[in-house]
Amino acid sequence: MNMRTVKSEQIASAVEKLCIQSCLDLPKDVLDALQKAEKKESLDSAKKILNQLIENAKIAKEQKLPICQDTGLAVVFLRIGSQVKIEPQDQTISDAINKGVENGYEKGNLRKSVVAEPLNARKNTQTNTPAVIHTEIIPGDKIHITVMAKGGGCENKSRFKMFLPTDDREKIIDWVTQTAAQAGANACPPFVIGVGIGGDFEQCCLLSKKALLRNLNSQNTDPFYGQMEKDILQKINSLGIGPSGLGGDTTALAVSIETAPCHIASLPVAVNIECHAHRHSSIEI
Amino acid sequence: MKKITTPLTDEIIGSLGAGDEVAISGIVYTARDAAHKRLCQLIEQKKELPIPIEGSVIYFVGPTPAPPGKPIGSAGPTTSSRMDSFSPMLLAAGLKGMIGKGYRNDTVREALKKYKAVHFAALGGAGALLSQYIISAEVVAYEDLGTEAIRKLEIKDFPATVAYDSTGGTVFKE
Ligand code: SF4
């Protein structure tokens, strides 16, 4: 098998750029969704807030200021071709990614929001590392990297539940809707809702995060789940929470469901709540 | 839109009702979780606070570093409810206003009534926009906390909504 050599520096510099870009430049599908929601929104005060969010994205891009001061935990989705070799060999690809995150958060004037351990000293690492890295091996000699800057306020409102394998879709729709309701104003609505159904305990949670990476205009390719996405979105938007939690029709911009096979005894469901500052960027090396 | 200036007097507080849109000017102090914990420890130990608390407003924010030529980076509100267990003690000490995002619990709402104070909601996730209303920023305590240090901010016409007023009213659907 022919191996392709990629320098670890090249990966670090790509990740550095992705961190800065994702925090300053709201993806086009998210901006479009905010604009579409602003047109459709029936409550004037909610329209005004949506306009402020659009204005905020504009200022961020023009003045190179982060869209939100919580520039998040860097969640990195890495898909690496089986024919890729990293050089120098004493460095792992995780080292390269963390170097890139550290440089990106420093050079981009982004906030460092990571503590070294969770319960005792909670000391800030001052580098925003380590990143959370999810790796997948794919065929070929390319590397795909996606960086998501995930805020704490919305992540805190995410939930997981084991349903009974005999439970029906309505039960899940209700619970996902309730999850958005309990997130409310605290998680900066309008939300993007990532739903994982199936897999096991940890795979299900990862699916819900991966679901967030889908284009907001896309639907699950299985019509059953595509319809479920629409139904959940409609239910969440009838809650009346609205932008910033101050009322309105726009509580969520999109719902994405991703699924995986699971055990005969299980029906795990995870909801990853994402705020309107839905920041992610990708690159192929 | 009501224009108000800090420090907040009882008269200003009395004129504010839930849902009112305000433009806040003057000095406010930043504090998040870690700074709140330290402030409350000082109150418990009956020690002096590093900021004047009487009539003051605390903004729950951890800004991004200031880029060259700007007083502050992105500076939007963080989730208020994480400060719920600390706020009543600060209100008892004379704090008159807080700015954050999201809900407050019943204990805080009772304390707002008891001590005649208000809680403002600023637009969550609009840190770039809100930074435009901040004229200056200076770390005044707990520098070791980095973004969580207490900063003295001078703000001009900072937009917010009265989320909880001093009579028990709220803008949020109950
Ligand atoms: S929930 Fe999102 S928009 Fe709100 S403060 Fe956190 S990162 Fe920013």
Side-chain angles (χ1 to χ4, degrees):
Chain A
M1 191 162 58
N2 269 341
M3 296 298 280
R4 175 179 164 231
T5 303
V6 177
K7 287 226 160 56
S8 110
E9 269 164 41
Q10 198 184 341
I11 296 166
S13 108
V15 169
E16 174 186 321
K17 286 198 195 94
L18 290 177
C19 289
I20 298 175
Q21 189 187 329
S22 57
C23 286
L24 303 186
D25 198 355
L26 198 64
K28 188 178 178 305
D29 60 330
V30 184
L31 197 57
D32 286 350
L34 285 171
Q35 273 158 348
K36 222 167 92 190
E38 190 275 334
K39 288 209 177 70
K40 261 178 50 191
E41 176 62 57
S42 64
L43 199 69
D44 280 346
S45 54
K47 247 187 197 312
K48 190 174 149 194
I49 294 172
L50 290 167
N51 266 317
Q52 286 171 325
L53 294 179
I54 295 163
E55 173 72 11
N56 182 64
K58 216 174 105 194
I59 294 174
K61 198 170 173 175
E62 281 170 11
Q63 300 187 15
K64 297 205 182 327
L65 277 171
I67 296 160
C68 176
Q69 76 291 334
D70 182 356
T71 48
L73 184 65
V75 183
V76 179
F77 294 89
L78 173 69
R79 292 191 296 141
I80 180 163
S82 55
Q83 285 162 262
V84 175
K85 203 171 102 202
I86 308 293
E87 248 185 14
Q89 279 175 2
D90 61 346
Q91 277 194 24
T92 67
I93 193 158
S94 302
D95 294 336
I97 289 170
N98 279 316
K99 192 74 212 148
V101 170
E102 178 172 354
N103 290 344
Y105 274 70
E106 188 56 37
K107 291 185 195 165
N109 285 309
L110 309 179
R111 197 179 83 182
K112 288 98 186 169
S113 315
V114 176
V115 292
E117 57 81 40
L119 189 57
N120 188 16
R122 287 190 68 89
K123 203 167 167 345
N124 198 307
T125 62
Q126 303 296 354
T127 55
N128 216 55
T129 62
V132 173
I133 305 173
H134 301 294
T135 311
E136 210 180 302
I137 313 277
I138 54 170
D141 62 1
K142 300 273 190 290
I143 305 174
H144 299 263
I145 306 172
T146 297
V147 173
M148 175 188 257
K150 189 71 171 73
C154 50
E155 190 73 358
N156 285 350
K157 293 294 171 187
S158 303
R159 296 206 294 192
F160 172 86
K161 183 179 159 118
M162 287 291 185
F163 283 79
L164 296 175
T166 47
D167 282 338
D168 61 7
R169 83 194 271 285
E170 304 315 318
K171 217 165 177 169
I172 294 175
I173 290 175
D174 281 347
W175 182 76
V176 176
T177 307
Q178 278 165 28
T179 304
Q182 59 88 37
N186 287 5
C188 294
F191 307 130
V192 177
I193 310 279
V195 184
I197 306 179
D200 66 351
F201 182 71
E202 81 281 1
Q203 188 188 23
C204 184
C205 292
L206 185 54
L207 281 174
S208 71
K209 184 147 274 149
K210 277 190 180 162
L212 293 175
L213 296 177
R214 264 182 32 205
N215 187 295
L216 300 193
N217 299 310
S218 70
Q219 274 161 23
N220 191 301
T221 47
D222 179 330
F224 176 85
Y225 294 108
Q227 188 57 45
M228 209 165 149
E229 290 172 349
K230 282 190 193 153
D231 293 347
I232 296 173
L233 182 63
Q234 202 227 337
K235 256 196 135 149
I236 290 176
N237 281 335
S238 61
L239 288 170
I241 293 169
S244 209
L246 297 176
D249 322 316
T250 317
T251 302
L253 299 172
V255 176
S256 301
I257 299 177
E258 290 297 315
T259 64
C262 63
H263 192 281
I264 48 172
S266 304
L267 176 47
V269 181
V271 178
N272 199 187
I273 301 277
E274 170 73 316
C275 52
H276 57 74
H278 179 33
R279 298 153 291 175
H280 58 93
S281 313
S282 305
I283 198 170
E284 184 186 275
I285 299 174
Chain B
M1 176 83 73
K2 282 187 186 163
K3 286 197 178 236
I4 57 172
T5 305
T6 64
L8 300 182
T9 58
D10 282 349
E11 197 191 336
I12 299 174
I13 300 285
S15 74
L16 299 174
D20 287 352
E21 287 183 23
V22 293
I24 310 171
S25 297
I27 301 295
V28 301
Y29 294 92
T30 71
R32 290 175 44 107
D33 314 54
H36 271 79
K37 200 167 168 181
R38 291 193 190 177
L39 290 175
C40 287
Q41 275 163 0
L42 289 178
I43 294 177
E44 274 168 1
Q45 295 160 4
K46 301 202 166 36
K47 289 193 178 142
E48 202 184 325
L49 297 180
I51 54 167
I53 198 80
E54 197 68 40
S56 283
V57 173
I58 287 181
Y59 181 17
F60 305 150
V61 58
T64 60
K70 288 199 189 292
I72 200 164
S74 187
T78 194
T79 310
S80 311
S81 59
R82 293 200 318 272
M83 266 48 83
D84 280 352
S85 58
F86 303 112
S87 296
M89 203 182 262
L90 291 163
L91 289 165
L95 181 73
K96 282 291 177 187
M98 292 163 282
I99 309 171
K101 66 162 163 116
Y103 313 115
R104 304 310 307 259
N105 69 10
D106 288 344
T107 317
V108 174
R109 294 178 67 178
E110 278 307 314
L112 291 174
K113 277 205 279 187
K114 185 165 172 198
Y115 302 111
K116 281 199 88 42
V118 287
H119 178 81
F120 303 100
L123 181 50
L129 177 73
L130 291 172
S131 74
Q132 312 290 305
Y133 300 92
I134 300 171
I135 300 167
S136 69
E138 178 200 348
V139 173
V140 290
Y142 311 147
E143 192 157 12
D144 61 299
L145 293 179
T147 183
E148 296 206 59
I150 297 185
R151 286 173 174 76
K152 182 179 174 180
L153 305 183
E154 189 184 348
I155 58 176
K156 175 101 179 68
D157 293 330
F158 186 95
T161 303
V162 177
Y164 297 94
D165 63 27
S166 60
T167 64
T170 175
V171 69
F172 295 118
K173 216 160 89 174
E174 295 188 86

